[in-house]
Amino acid sequence: MWAMDVTTWIDRQFSEINTSWDRTIEVHYPQYHQDWIVPELHVENLLHKWNTFNAAKAFPWSEYFKNKSSIRILDLGCGTGWLSAYLSTFENVESVYAVDSSVPNLRSMLPHVTKLLHGKPGKIIPVHGLFSPIPEKNGSVDFVVSSSSFHHAENLQDLVAECARVLKPGGILVVLNETPHEKWSFRWYFMKQLVKLGMDLWREEYRPRSMTVSSSGIVYDPYLGDRLYSLNQWKKALANKQLDLEILETGLTTFRQKPYGGKLVHFILTKKI
């Protein structure tokens, strides 16, 4: 028996797949492209146009950080790293692992955003990676945080279970700035999308990417992988026997200029001791 050399494309293909978010914004949402590649413009939007930063700052971090030292944080799906930058300013935070699948975000945006928000770059560790699996030991992390990212995960329950595994007893998973729909608005949206999908199938249309409707989430943006859930679906997906769930309603919408639409909600899951 002789051995045959195997050529691998996996590393290159993985890299291509996980830089597609950056290209997707440029190709499909060119009107927003500059918002995500120019650090000064991005921070200006965070401070004056979007409510996500304000909603995160209003979270009672000091209360949760109280009586803790050398805090280790994982920021999953950190994007441009603004949340990592903000959390690095707390004195008792030792390190923030800024995890994202976008290399341009980590290499280009994160350093500048951190400087503009007066973060502590020495505390921030950029990590090119996915949501899960998380290559950390059981019970090794104080906090896992995420802002407007969890709804991109393909399987929320698996992701929550992985976060619970790496959290220390008493550790906290903070899922910030999600926009769950109430029952009737969710049902109305679901019916509208179902009609659109039915019309496409009736006409035998072919779309290389299209919205999908299932009980594991409505993928309403197939290019960015955005999934929509009702509040009850969020509660069921986040349910984990190791974690106690608390819901904090911010009363804020995503955009300051648009005070209508879904409100930003924080989910706080504390690991039982």
Side-chain angles (χ1 to χ4, degrees):
M1 181 67 71
W2 52 277
M4 181 179 289
D5 290 336
V6 177
T7 299
T8 180
W9 294 349
I10 293 296
D11 289 343
R12 183 175 175 182
Q13 289 171 329
F14 176 84
S15 178
E16 287 291 316
I17 289 170
N18 287 289
T19 55
S20 63
W21 186 90
D22 313 281
R23 291 197 300 270
T24 295
I25 293 291
E26 182 177 6
V27 173
H28 298 284
Y29 304 99
Q31 68 273 33
Y32 302 122
H33 186 227
Q34 294 298 305
D35 293 344
W36 294 94
I37 64 169
V38 179
E40 293 79 8
L41 180 58
H42 184 72
V43 170
E44 178 71 14
N45 287 334
L46 282 169
L47 297 178
H48 304 293
K49 183 177 178 180
W50 306 329
N51 274 323
T52 45
F53 185 63
N54 279 339
K57 284 180 67 178
F59 185 84
W61 298 105
S62 296
E63 186 66 25
Y64 283 97
F65 290 167
K66 187 171 61 177
N67 301 324
K68 294 180 183 292
S69 61
S70 303
I71 295 171
R72 293 185 71 229
I73 301 174
L74 294 184
D75 181 3
L76 295 181
C78 72
T80 61
W82 63 264
L83 180 58
S84 293
Y86 173 67
L87 294 176
S88 73
T89 64
F90 286 85
E91 187 175 345
N92 45 351
V93 169
E94 179 182 86
S95 56
V96 184
Y97 289 78
V99 183
D100 202 79
S101 63
S102 168
V103 172
N105 269 340
L106 296 172
R107 286 183 177 167
S108 302
M109 291 294 286
L110 175 59
H112 293 292
V113 169
T114 298
K115 182 179 180 180
L116 290 167
L117 292 176
H118 309 291
K120 306 294 183 183
K123 294 183 180 182
I124 301 173
I125 302 156
V127 178
H128 183 217
L130 304 175
F131 279 130
S132 65
I134 301 171
E136 290 282 336
K137 295 179 181 178
N138 295 353
S140 59
V141 176
D142 297 289
F143 287 82
V144 179
V145 301
S146 179
S147 175
S148 304
S149 295
F150 255 47
H151 65 267
H152 289 279
E154 293 187 5
N155 188 318
L156 283 174
Q157 286 188 332
D158 284 354
L159 178 54
V160 170
E162 185 68 351
C163 292
R165 179 186 66 78
V166 301
L167 281 171
K168 297 176 181 178
I172 300 172
L173 166 61
V174 184
V175 181
L176 297 167
N177 295 325
E178 296 294 350
T179 53
H181 278 228
E182 294 294 340
K183 179 185 294 185
W184 291 108
S185 67
F186 176 78
R187 290 180 178 179
W188 175 243
Y189 182 86
F190 157 72
M191 291 303 298
K192 287 196 299 181
Q193 301 310 313
L194 201 59
V195 168
K196 290 180 183 178
L197 183 60
M199 291 301 294
D200 271 0
L201 294 174
W202 180 265
R203 295 169 181 155
E204 300 180 53
E205 297 281 2
Y206 171 77
R207 302 187 189 280
R209 294 191 183 186
S210 65
M211 177 208 62
T212 59
V213 178
S214 74
S215 55
S216 55
I218 298 173
V219 181
Y220 65 91
D221 187 332
Y223 298 102
L224 294 177
D226 288 297
R227 290 170 169 79
L228 182 144
Y229 301 99
S230 71
L231 181 58
N232 282 332
Q233 283 182 312
W234 272 107
K235 290 177 181 177
K236 292 172 182 176
L238 296 176
N240 184 290
K241 63 182 180 181
Q242 297 185 71
L243 304 170
D244 290 322
L245 172 64
E246 178 186 353
I247 299 174
L248 180 60
E249 297 180 0
T250 70
L252 300 172
T253 53
T254 302
F255 300 98
R256 293 193 187 186
Q257 296 89 341
K258 299 178 181 178
Y260 49 85
K263 298 291 195 296
L264 297 171
V265 172
H266 304 328
F267 298 100
I268 306 123
L269 298 99
T270 305
K271 188 169 181 178
K272 298 173 183 176
I273 298 175

